[in-house]
Amino acid sequence: MPAKELESPCVDCGDAEFVVDVRSRRLCKWELRQLLIWDPTSHRPCYERYVSLKVLRRIENYRRPKSVPKGQPYKLLLPLSFGLSSSVMLHAMNAQLERQLSKPYPMVGFELHVLVIEPSSISPSSASAEQRFGLLQKNFPRHSYKMLPFHSIYEYEPTVQDIMTQFAGEGFVDDGSLSHKERLDAFRASITTATAKADVDQILLNRLVVSYAKELNCDAILWGDSDSRLAAKTLANVAKGRGSALTWQVSDGKSPSGLEFNFPLRDLFQAELHSYANLIPELMAIIIPDEPPLENTLTKNLSIDELMMRYVQTHGEKYPGVMANVTRTANKLQPAAVSAGARRCAFCDAFMRDSEEQSEFCYACARSRPDSAC
């Protein structure tokens, strides 16, 4: 009896109806064909394989070469926010590791360390992530995990307290008798504008992640920014005066901290990550959904980062290729040549220009200070 003819078959396997239409490619959820030869990619969802390959192409450098002694894989840190992008990246990386271990002669190229900054310590409106953290360890048990509160930056960056006091200016007094949480809350409260608050929080979070990665002697940090997010960061950083930092804040390569920064999701749109997550129930269980933007919020109450993200989300649906070009162009930028002893910004660690020799802070950080924020 002839097989039932499919109305809209998957373009990859042709054995099932398509579920997702991505970039004019109709892909199914499950690949049902049986292969006569052993293939670790068979029996995988076609769309899952599509997303995974996009990620894996960006981490080719972390395959363990034959010259590296056995048992010494690359150590990679993955900061996880329980958001869509970083959660999808963890799932894709975990699936790749499982496939490597399933081979007759496994050669594991990397080991993954996951760092979670407790969301409720960043924003009081966020719920505690304890339950999700436990579920995370249960669903992906092969990796090591650590959850830290935001104020643990005082422990991992002992010198940051003096820098923060200087950054906040004369009107701020750091009370050493308070707890780390109270001290950080007081510092963050001293920052005035929405843009400055978002900018300062991101810098402190990056410093905490980098410090933890150095403590583990990691080779690189894998940031879970999608193409859409990177496009928004590119536009926002230029608007804030951080254009010189694009070579490491949105591009793959070495950062001023000495660690490699890698963005494996840079070839995937936000909508594609949503489609991926919706096909995997255990992944949806750990993701904290983004709060929908309030339509009646005044523009002046939004940070530049929020404005650019809204712009990219709105126009990215209509012109995804344009936003992709923004990210690709930024990734082609080359860092300026600097001497080994070049001065760095005390707060964000970016290299200083000659015109900034009289200040401890770069132009962008100076704009975020309470006495000069705009």
Side-chain angles (χ1 to χ4, degrees):
M1 181 177 178
K4 181 180 178 181
E5 184 176 350
L6 301 175
E7 295 182 3
S8 300
C10 170
V11 297
D12 274 14
C13 68
D15 295 327
E17 294 283 355
F18 87 95
V19 174
V20 182
D21 190 344
V22 52
R23 307 191 194 190
S24 301
R25 288 173 57 83
R26 295 183 170 186
L27 303 177
C28 69
K29 179 178 179 181
W30 298 107
E31 182 176 351
L32 303 176
R33 59 184 172 176
Q34 302 288 332
L35 299 183
L36 297 178
I37 59 174
W38 183 85
D39 182 359
T41 65
S42 63
H43 317 301
R44 277 205 293 150
C46 291
Y47 185 67
E48 180 185 337
R49 188 174 68 253
Y50 165 83
V51 172
S52 296
L53 289 176
K54 290 279 188 181
V55 175
L56 298 181
R57 288 192 186 105
R58 288 293 174 180
I59 59 170
E60 285 290 330
N61 293 338
Y62 305 119
R63 283 188 174 184
R64 184 166 61 85
K66 295 181 179 179
S67 59
V68 176
K70 187 175 181 180
Q72 296 184 17
Y74 290 102
K75 297 181 71 172
L76 307 178
L77 180 68
L78 192 159
L80 185 80
S81 64
F82 292 110
L84 172 68
S85 300
S86 58
S87 300
V88 167
M89 183 168 67
L90 173 61
H91 186 275
M93 298 286 290
N94 180 77
Q96 170 64 6
L97 185 61
E98 294 287 354
R99 286 191 292 274
Q100 289 178 338
L101 293 172
S102 68
K103 294 181 180 180
Y105 302 99
M107 181 178 290
V108 178
F110 61 87
E111 61 181 37
L112 206 57
H113 301 269
V114 180
L115 173 64
V116 175
I117 309 298
E118 171 60 69
S120 61
S121 68
I122 302 173
S123 173
S125 61
S126 299
S128 174
E130 288 289 345
Q131 184 176 358
R132 280 185 167 85
F133 188 68
L135 193 59
L136 186 71
Q137 294 173 296
K138 178 182 177 181
N139 290 344
F140 308 102
R142 291 194 180 276
H143 319 298
S144 69
Y145 295 88
K146 184 74 172 182
M147 184 160 67
L148 297 173
F150 194 6
H151 56 263
S152 63
I153 188 172
Y154 287 103
E155 301 171 18
Y156 287 89
E157 279 263 23
T159 61
V160 77
Q161 54 189 344
D162 296 331
I163 298 172
M164 290 164 65
T165 300
Q166 184 180 0
F167 181 88
E170 297 179 356
F172 174 75
V173 178
D174 183 25
D175 188 351
S177 64
L178 299 177
S179 66
H180 289 338
K181 180 182 184 305
E182 292 171 326
R183 293 171 68 187
L184 181 59
D185 288 344
F187 170 75
R188 295 172 71 193
S190 71
I191 309 300
T192 53
T193 67
T195 294
K197 287 178 181 291
D199 197 42
V200 167
D201 280 356
Q202 191 58 55
I203 291 171
L204 293 178
L205 286 169
N206 284 353
R207 291 187 67 140
L208 177 55
V209 171
V210 168
S211 296
Y212 183 74
K214 288 183 175 180
E215 182 175 276
L216 294 182
N217 294 319
C218 289
D219 298 291
I221 299 176
L222 305 181
W223 300 98
D225 293 336
S226 65
D227 177 275
S228 307
R229 173 63 178 159
L230 290 175
K233 283 178 66 175
T234 299
L235 299 176
N237 280 340
V238 172
K240 292 186 295 185
R242 297 194 181 278
S244 61
L246 291 179
T247 53
W248 53 277
Q249 287 193 352
V250 300
S251 303
D252 298 332
K254 183 159 290 189
S255 70
S257 66
L259 291 171
E260 292 283 336
F261 281 7
N262 193 278
F263 302 86
L265 301 182
R266 68 181 317 113
D267 296 326
L268 291 161
F269 302 140
Q270 194 81 355
E272 294 173 337
L273 300 182
H274 273 292
S275 299
Y276 181 97
N278 287 333
L279 298 177
I280 305 170
E282 63 270 21
L283 187 56
M284 290 299 296
I286 66 171
I287 293 176
I288 299 177
D290 292 332
E291 295 183 2
L294 299 176
E295 296 182 359
N296 58 351
T297 303
L298 296 177
T299 302
K300 67 178 182 179
N301 295 330
L302 296 175
S303 68
I304 290 177
D305 301 81
E306 291 173 314
L307 286 172
M308 291 299 101
M309 195 64 215
R310 289 190 178 195
Y311 174 81
V312 168
Q313 289 174 340
T314 302
H315 290 74
E317 295 177 358
K318 301 177 183 178
Y319 315 106
V322 174
M323 298 306 159
N325 285 337
V326 171
T327 305
R328 293 193 190 102
T329 302
N331 196 38
K332 294 178 182 178
L333 297 175
Q334 298 296 321
V338 293
S339 61
R343 293 178 68 249
R344 297 183 183 180
C345 174
F347 194 60
C348 72
D349 205 33
F351 290 107
M352 304 275 280
R353 297 192 294 263
D354 294 338
S355 59
E356 300 168 326
E357 288 294 326
Q358 303 301 319
S359 174
E360 291 294 321
F361 304 105
C362 66
Y363 168 74
C365 285
R367 293 180 64 189
S368 294
R369 298 183 67 189
D371 55 359
S372 59
C374 56

